[in-house]
C-alpha cells in the first residue's frame, strides 16, 4: 500500500514536471533560417586561455586539454567524481546459444556494495561465438531498457524509469509489451556477424530522466561516497559516469578487447557518450548519432534547439551555470567543437539526419570539421572538406568521419553500417 502510494506520487510528480518543462519550452521561438544566425566566434582549440599557441602534443595534453575539460565541467556538464567507489560485477545469466547460436548472451549486474540504496546497472552483452582472440565491442546506453532491444523474452525487464516516448510502458515502467520496441535501433545480429560484441544498459538505471530524478539516481544516493554534491554535476554526467563503470567491467573481461571499444550514443545518449569519451580516455572511439544541442552541434549558431530550449525542457541535463547562457551564447567560453576535440586522437564519427533540423546538422558538421587542427597535432587527419557532404555520402578518410543521412531523428541500419565500416577501417 505504502509502496504503491510512493510509486504513484513519484510518477505523477515526474509526469507533471516533464510536461510543464516541455510546455514552457514550446513558447521559445525556434530559428531555422541560416540568414538569421547571429554572428559568432568560436574559441580556437589551439589557443590557450593565457594566449599561448598550442603547437605540440605535450602542450595540448598538459595545458589546453585540461583547461577545456575544466571549462566544460564548470559551465556545461559539471564535475565528474574524483573518488572511486567499490564496484561489484555479477553475471546473472549466460545463454550460450543466443541468436540461433551466433552469440553468447550475458546479463551482468554492476552494484556498489558500500552504498545500500545505490542504483544497479544491468548490462546486457552479446559476444560473438567462435571468435578468435579478444573482440572489439560497441557499447551504448539505451532509452527504454534492455528488453526493448530484442524480442528475446528472457531478457530482464527494466525496473527503471523511462521517458514518455518509450512504448509498452505504464507510468514510465516497462511492461512485457515493451519488448523489442527499439529492436530496429540495435542491429545486434548484424554486429555479431561482423565480429563485434555489443553491450548496453538502460540509462534510467543511472538517473531517471526528469528534473528530480537525481534523488534516486547515482547523484543523489552516492553523493557522499563519490565526494560530489548532486548540484555539482548533471544527469548527463551521471549517464557518462555509468558508461565508465561498464568500461570497468569490459577491462576485466577476457573475451573483450578493451582497447577497441566504440562508444555509441543517439541523441541525448550521444551527448552522454561524447562527455564520457572526453572524461574517460579508455573509450577507443566515440560515435555521436544525432546528438544535437549539448552534443555535437554548435550552440552559438542558435539554429534549431538552443541552449535556452534545452535548459527549459531538460533543466537537469546540465549544471545550473549553463542556464546563465540561455540568452547569451556569445558569452559561453566553449562551444561543442571543443568537446569533440577532447576525443582526439581517438577516432570520432559524427552523424546527422536531414530531417532532424532541431539537432542542427550543419552545426554538427561545422563542429566536427573544427576539430581538424587537434587531430593534426597528433599527425592524424581530421575532416578535410569545408563543404557539407551530400546526403548519404560519408566524408572523412582519416580519424574523423561525418555523414548526413536522409530521414528523421533516429539511429538506423544505415547509420550502424557506416559505423561498422569506419571501425573496420580504423581497427583492421
Ligand atoms: C529532444 C531534445 C534533444 C535530444 C532528443 C532525444 O527532445 O530536445 O536535445 O536529446 O530529445 O534525446 O531524443
Amino acid at each position: 500500500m505504502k509502496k504503491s502510494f510512493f510509486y504513484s506520487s513519484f510518477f505523477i510528480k515526474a509526469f507533471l514536471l516533464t510536461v510543464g518543462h516541455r510546455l514552457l519550452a514550446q513558447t521559445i521561438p525556434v530559428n531555422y533560417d541560416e540568414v538569421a544566425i547571429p554572428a559568432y566566434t568560436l574559441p580556437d582549440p589551439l589557443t590557450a586561455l593565457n594566449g599561448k599557441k598550442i603547437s605540440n602534443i605535450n602542450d595540448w595534453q598538459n595545458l589546453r586539454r585540461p583547461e577545456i575539460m575544466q571549462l566544460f565541467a564548470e559551465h556545461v556538464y559539471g564535475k565528474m567524481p574524483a573518488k572511486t567507489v567499490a564496484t561489484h560485477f555479477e553475471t546473472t545469466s549466460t545463454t550460450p546459444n543466443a541468436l540461433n547460436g551466433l552469440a553468447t548472451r550475458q546479463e551482468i549486474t554492476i552494484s556498489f556494495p558500500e552504498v545500500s540504496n545505490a542504483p544497479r546497472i544491468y548490462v546486457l552483452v552479446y559476444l560473438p561465438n567462435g571468435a578468435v582472440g579478444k573482440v572489439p565491442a560497441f557499447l551504448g546506453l539505451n532509452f527504454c531498457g534492455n528488453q526493448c532491444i530484442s524480442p528475446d523474452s528472457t531478457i530482464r525487464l527494466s525496473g527503471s524509469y523511462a521517458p514518455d516516448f518509450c512504448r509498452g510502458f505504464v507510468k514510465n515502467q516497462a511492461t512485457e509489451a515493451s519488448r523489442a520496441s527499439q529492436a530496429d535501433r540495435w542491429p545486434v545480429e548484424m554486429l555479431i556477424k561482423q565480429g563485434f560484441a555489443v553491450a548496453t544498459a538502460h540509462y534510467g538505471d543511472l538517473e531517471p530522466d526528469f528534473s528530480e530524478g537525481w534523488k534516486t539516481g547515482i547523484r543523489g544516493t552516492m553523493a557522499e561516497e563519490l565526494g560530489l554534491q548532486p548540484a555539482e554535476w548533471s544527469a548527463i554526467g551521471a549517464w557518462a559516469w555509468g558508461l565508465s563503470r561498464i568500461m570497468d567491467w569490459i577491462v576485466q573481461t577476457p573475451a573483450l578487447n578493451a582497447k577497441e571499444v566504440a562508444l555509441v550514443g543517439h541523441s541525448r545518449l550521444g551527448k552522454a557518450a561524447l562527455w564520457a569519451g572526453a572524461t574517460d580516455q579508455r573509450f577507443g572511439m566515440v560515435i555521436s548519432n544525432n546528438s544535437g544541442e549539448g552534443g555535437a552541434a554548435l550552440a552559438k549558431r542558435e539554429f534549431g534547439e538552443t541552449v535556452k530550449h534545452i535548459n527549459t525542457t531538460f533543466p537537469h541535463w546540465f549544471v545550473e551555470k549553463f542556464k546563465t547562457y540561455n540568452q547569451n551564447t556569445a558569452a559561453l567560453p566553449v562551444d561543442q567543437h571543443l568537446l569533440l576535440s577532447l576525443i582526439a586522437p581517438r577516432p570520432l564519427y559524427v552523424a546527422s539526419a536531414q530531417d532532424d533540423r532541431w539537432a542542427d546538422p550543419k552545426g554538427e558538421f561545422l563542429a566536427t570539421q573544427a576539430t581538424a587542427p587537434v587531430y593534426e597535432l597528433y599527425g592524424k587527419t581530421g575532416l578535410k572538406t569545408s563543404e557539407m557532404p551530400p546526403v548519404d555520402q560519408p566524408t572523412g578518410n582519416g580519424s574523423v568521419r561525418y555523414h548526413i543521412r536522409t530521414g528523421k531523428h533516429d539511429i538506423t541500419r544505415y547509420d550502424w553500417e557506416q559505423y561498422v565500416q569506419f571501425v573496420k577501417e580504423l581497427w583492421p
Side-chain angles (χ1 to χ4, degrees):
M1 186 66 191
K2 236 174 136 192
K3 200 173 172 198
S4 73
F5 173 74
F6 169 77
Y7 279 119
S8 25
S9 61
F10 176 88
F11 290 111
I12 289 168
K13 197 166 188 187
F15 175 76
L16 292 176
L17 285 167
T18 308
V19 171
H21 296 309
R22 205 183 294 146
L23 288 175
L24 205 60
Q26 279 170 10
T27 63
I28 305 167
V30 189
N31 175 43
Y32 286 125
D33 183 357
E34 283 290 324
V35 178
I37 288 172
Y40 64 89
T41 318
L42 293 182
D44 177 7
L46 297 187
T47 304
L49 292 174
N50 66 6
K52 181 174 171 149
K53 296 287 173 204
I54 306 300
S55 57
N56 59 64
I57 297 174
N58 193 43
D59 283 349
W60 169 258
Q61 282 177 348
N62 298 310
L63 170 64
R64 185 61 174 149
R65 191 180 192 282
E67 77 183 17
I68 295 174
M69 282 296 302
Q70 169 58 31
L71 288 170
F72 275 106
E74 186 180 337
H75 301 271
V76 187
Y77 305 105
K79 295 183 192 161
M80 288 299 256
K83 282 167 91 174
T84 53
V85 54
T87 312
H88 179 70
F89 306 122
E90 190 190 350
T91 305
T92 56
S93 82
T94 300
T95 309
N97 287 313
L99 302 174
N100 296 319
L102 288 174
T104 296
R105 197 206 76 190
Q106 289 195 315
E107 290 176 294
I108 319 292
T109 302
I110 303 180
S111 59
F112 307 99
E114 288 167 6
V115 193
S116 58
N117 60 342
R120 290 163 174 232
I121 313 172
Y122 297 93
V123 189
L124 172 66
V125 184
Y126 288 88
L127 300 162
N129 283 340
V132 182
K134 289 172 175 283
V135 294
F138 281 97
L139 163 64
L141 295 173
N142 64 68
F143 284 88
C144 307
N146 296 340
Q147 81 288 344
C148 80
I149 81 150
S150 160
D152 179 343
S153 64
T154 60
I155 293 173
R156 179 186 175 276
L157 206 60
S158 175
S160 300
Y161 176 96
D164 294 343
F165 58 73
C166 287
R167 285 179 282 135
F169 279 65
V170 174
K171 287 190 184 164
N172 305 87
Q173 287 288 293
T175 72
E176 288 293 325
S178 66
R179 292 195 182 279
S181 58
Q182 297 212 320
D184 53 344
R185 287 189 168 181
W186 292 89
V188 178
E189 190 167 324
M190 181 272 275
L191 297 170
I192 289 288
K193 283 183 175 161
Q194 295 285 341
F196 296 99
V198 181
T200 186
H202 182 201
Y203 84 132
D205 288 354
L206 292 147
E207 176 164 327
D209 192 359
F210 66 95
S211 59
E212 293 192 2
W214 60 269
K215 290 183 179 171
T216 56
I218 297 289
R219 284 195 291 152
T221 58
M222 296 173 68
E224 199 183 311
E225 291 75 10
L226 294 175
L228 214 50
Q229 288 308 306
E232 291 183 275
W233 52 324
S234 61
I236 288 181
W239 300 328
W241 184 86
L243 283 165
S244 287
R245 300 295 68 78
I246 302 175
M247 189 65 191
D248 295 341
W249 175 78
I250 290 175
V251 166
Q252 53 86 68
T253 300
L256 295 171
N257 181 350
K259 297 216 167 359
E260 295 188 349
V261 175
L263 183 55
V264 55
H266 169 62
S267 205
R268 71 196 69 179
L269 301 180
K271 309 180 211 290
L274 287 168
W275 183 231
T279 54
D280 187 340
Q281 297 186 64
R282 294 176 301 171
F283 296 112
M285 171 182 305
V286 183
I287 302 166
S288 152
N289 190 89
N290 306 183
S291 64
E293 185 70 23
L298 293 175
K300 292 177 194 281
R301 274 170 50 85
E302 311 223 354
F303 186 100
E305 185 173 33
T306 60
V307 171
K308 188 170 182 188
H309 288 117
I310 206 164
N311 279 331
T312 307
T313 320
F314 307 104
H316 52 294
W317 282 5
F318 306 90
V319 273
E320 277 304 301
K321 183 134 190 207
F322 195 45
K323 299 194 174 81
T324 63
Y325 303 102
N326 279 358
Q327 314 278 15
N328 189 9
T329 54
L332 247 181
V334 289
D335 210 331
Q336 300 306 108
H337 65 306
L338 296 183
L339 178 70
L340 301 184
S341 299
L342 296 173
I343 307 304
R346 295 162 294 160
L348 168 70
Y349 201 128
V350 174
S352 311
Q354 192 177 26
D355 301 340
D356 187 17
R357 295 192 308 157
W358 181 242
D360 187 13
K362 186 164 181 194
E364 296 192 308
F365 170 74
L366 292 173
T368 310
Q369 189 206 20
T371 65
V374 182
Y375 279 88
E376 280 160 18
L377 268 190
Y378 285 93
K380 307 263 178 194
T381 309
L383 277 194
K384 285 247 184 249
T385 167
S386 56
E387 290 295 313
M388 256 184 104
V391 287
D392 302 332
Q393 291 186 33
T395 184
N397 291 323
S399 298
V400 181
R401 189 164 294 172
Y402 172 87
H403 77 240
I404 175 164
R405 152 181 71 67
T406 41
K408 64 180 174 61
H409 184 70
D410 198 358
I411 179 165
T412 67
R413 180 97 182 181
Y414 174 86
D415 296 317
W416 281 104
E417 281 166 356
Q418 310 321 308
Y419 305 150
V420 165
Q421 176 154 344
F422 186 60
V423 175
K424 290 204 151 185
E425 281 172 35
L426 283 139
W427 295 336

